[in-house]
Amino acid sequence: NKISKVELYLPENYEKEINIENNYGDIKIKSFEKANLNIQEDAGDINLEKASIVDIKNNYGDIKINKVNNIDIKNNYGDTKINEINEYVKIDADAGDIKINTLNITKNSNIEINAGDIKINQTNDIYIDAKTDLGETKINNNNDKAEITLKIENNLGDIKVN
């Protein structure tokens, strides 16, 4: 059994676009605070420590991110876990849970999932427009007069915010 591994080293202050395409296998990325990351993964987990702008398309696998400013995720099957988002989030998922610890958005954002639970522990002062077709919705600290809106749509599963 042979394990293939590709390691790429770039300076942490790299400021250009980084495009990653991978068919099978996990992707692990440390910190790129100034680069734009575009990740396309067919089957495998994605683990990202820290980045500014990230676009992820993943068919099968979990996504785990520590800290990001702008994130756009399309994940077909797998859980998404993000510790901290600081500007904008767009998540479109088919099946799997979404967990966000700290959400501090400055632009209107959107989370949409077909089957799975959504849990956000802490948000800034925003309006959360949430609906689920089959499941429970529990939203605390919701400001319907806020300038920023987070729209959450779920077909099957619970929504819980702070």
Side-chain angles (χ1 to χ4, degrees), residues 61-77:
D62 296 338
I63 297 171
K64 184 177 177 187
I65 299 171
N66 184 41
K67 186 174 181 181
V68 66
N69 291 336
N70 291 286
I71 185 78
D72 188 338
I73 295 174
K74 172 75 174 115
N75 194 17
N76 287 335
Y77 302 100

Side-chain angles (χ1 to χ4, degrees), residues 20 22 25-29 39-41 44-48:
I20 300 170
N22 190 29
D26 297 342
I27 297 173
K28 293 180 183 178
I29 301 172
I39 302 170
Q40 291 189 20
E41 171 83 277
D45 296 339
I46 298 171
N47 191 322
L48 173 61

Side-chain angles (χ1 to χ4, degrees), residues 8-23:
L8 176 65
Y9 295 93
L10 293 170
E12 211 173 284
N13 61 352
Y14 186 80
E15 295 183 10
K16 297 184 179 175
E17 201 167 277
I18 300 172
N19 296 309
I20 300 170
E21 291 183 28
N22 190 29
N23 287 332

Side-chain angles (χ1 to χ4, degrees), residues 139-151:
I139 311 291
N140 295 322
N141 304 320
N142 200 5
N143 181 359
D144 62 355
K145 293 177 177 47
E147 293 181 21
I148 306 298
T149 298
L150 172 64
K151 186 172 187 175

Side-chain angles (χ1 to χ4, degrees), residues 25 41 51 53 124 161:
E41 171 83 277
I53 300 171
N124 56 322
V161 180

Side-chain angles (χ1 to χ4, degrees), residues 118-121 123 128 138-140 152 159-162:
I118 299 169
K119 183 177 180 186
I120 303 173
N121 288 332
T123 65
I128 300 162
K138 183 179 177 186
I139 311 291
N140 295 322
I152 302 175
I159 300 171
K160 184 178 177 185
V161 180
N162 44 31

Side-chain angles (χ1 to χ4, degrees), residues 69-127:
N69 291 336
N70 291 286
I71 185 78
D72 188 338
I73 295 174
K74 172 75 174 115
N75 194 17
N76 287 335
Y77 302 100
D79 295 338
T80 300
K81 185 176 181 181
I82 304 173
N83 184 47
E84 183 179 344
I85 301 171
N86 284 315
E87 288 178 26
Y88 170 81
V89 60
K90 180 180 178 190
I91 299 175
D92 183 2
D94 197 31
D97 294 338
I98 297 172
K99 293 180 184 174
I100 300 171
N101 188 41
T102 303
L103 181 69
N104 184 26
I105 55 173
T106 58
K107 300 174 189 170
N108 291 338
S109 296
N110 190 14
I111 298 173
E112 193 173 325
I113 188 168
N114 283 328
D117 295 335
I118 299 169
K119 183 177 180 186
I120 303 173
N121 288 332
Q122 180 180 343
T123 65
N124 56 322
D125 188 27
I126 59 174
Y127 174 59

